[in-house]
């Protein structure tokens, strides 16, 4: 029964981590003048609006996964380059900031005064939320379209970005090959675990 409860809590943590990462992108894009996220239904904190089924399952199974990226049209921004950087980076920044906030909360729960049956489950939930938030942020630094880092690359090096798009299908094949061979999960989890330890 306890393992089932913890599994359910890990799913809830993953859903929340996805919304925390993707929703701010939609808000930022709309704030900067692009209504694309509203038209595509992404201007919502509902995780099911952002969830990619395969990415979500792998996030639960391997602690490394992804969501559907928020689409935006940088041509609608007053400052195209700055707007692109702000939208592309806000998800990573927000995820890491929220992770840190919950690290502080987790620290309070370590106080013996709060140790009871319910707080132990809450601590488990927070641990997963912190880890998933960090993992999603690290994962989005992989230079494969349409992950966040590639949007930033488009600003600093348009030529490199167009090359990434030109060979996007090939990059996806290589990416999934490396993922299912275990290389990407090992690397991302190693970095995420290190950050998790540093945070906590």
């Amino acid at each position: 029964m306890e393992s089932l409860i913890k599994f359910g809590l890990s799913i809830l943590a993953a859903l929340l981590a996805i919304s925390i990462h993707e929703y701010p992108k939609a808000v930022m894009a709309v704030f900067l003048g692009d209504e694309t996220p509203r038209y595509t239904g992404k201007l919502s904190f509902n995780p099911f609006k952002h969830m990619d089924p395969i990415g979500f399952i792998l996030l639960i199974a391997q602690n490394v996964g992804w969501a559907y990226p928020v689409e935006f049209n940088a041509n609608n921004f007053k400052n195209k380059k700055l707007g692109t950087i702000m939208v592309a980076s806000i998800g990573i920044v927000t995820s890491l900031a929220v992770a840190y906030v919950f690290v502080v909360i987790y620290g309070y729960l370590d106080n013996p005064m709060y140790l009871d049956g319910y707080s132990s489950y809450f601590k488990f939930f927070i641990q997963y939320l912190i880890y998933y938030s960090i993992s999603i942020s690290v994962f989005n630094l992989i230079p494969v379209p349409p992950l966040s880092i590639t949007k930033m690359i488009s600003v600093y090096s348009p030529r490199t970005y167009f090359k990434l798009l030109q060979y996007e299908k090939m990059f996806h094949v290589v990416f999934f090959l490396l993922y299912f061979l275990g290389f990407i999960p090992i690397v991302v989890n190693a970095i995420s675990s290190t950050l998790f330890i540093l945070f906590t």
Side-chain angles (χ1 to χ4, degrees), residues 119-137:
S119 69
S120 65
Y121 286 128
F122 188 48
K123 286 174 65 176
F124 180 85
F125 171 78
I126 289 177
Q127 282 181 317
Y128 264 92
L129 179 58
I130 293 169
Y131 193 89
Y132 286 148
S133 296
I134 294 173
S135 175
I136 291 173
S137 297

Side-chain angles (χ1 to χ4, degrees), residues 7 25 29 35 45 59 70 79 88-89 108 113 122-123 144 150 153 162 191 197 199:
F7 179 68
K25 296 181 187 177
E35 294 292 323
F45 196 73
L59 180 61
V70 171
N79 187 319
S89 63
Y108 280 107
M113 291 176 60
F122 188 48
K123 286 174 65 176
V144 174
T150 60
I153 290 174
F162 287 129
I191 297 173
I197 292 170
F199 270 36

Side-chain angles (χ1 to χ4, degrees), residues 97-109:
V98 168
Y100 182 76
V101 169
F102 276 96
V103 164
V104 174
I105 295 174
Y106 184 82
Y108 280 107
L109 292 178

Side-chain angles (χ1 to χ4, degrees), residues 9-76:
L9 291 174
S10 69
I11 291 177
L12 289 176
L15 290 171
L16 183 55
I18 286 172
S19 292
I20 289 171
H21 187 82
E22 294 297 333
Y23 178 61
K25 296 181 187 177
V27 173
M28 181 62 74
V30 172
F31 175 76
L32 294 175
D34 178 36
E35 294 292 323
T36 302
R38 192 189 304 277
Y39 298 146
T40 56
K42 298 293 186 178
L43 191 62
S44 170
F45 196 73
N46 182 351
F48 296 103
K49 296 287 186 179
H50 305 287
M51 185 178 71
D52 177 289
I54 295 176
F56 183 75
I57 291 172
L58 292 175
L59 180 61
I60 298 296
Q62 300 279 358
N63 295 328
V64 179
W66 59 88
Y68 282 125
V70 171
E71 297 178 9
F72 63 93
N73 186 350
N75 292 321
N76 293 324

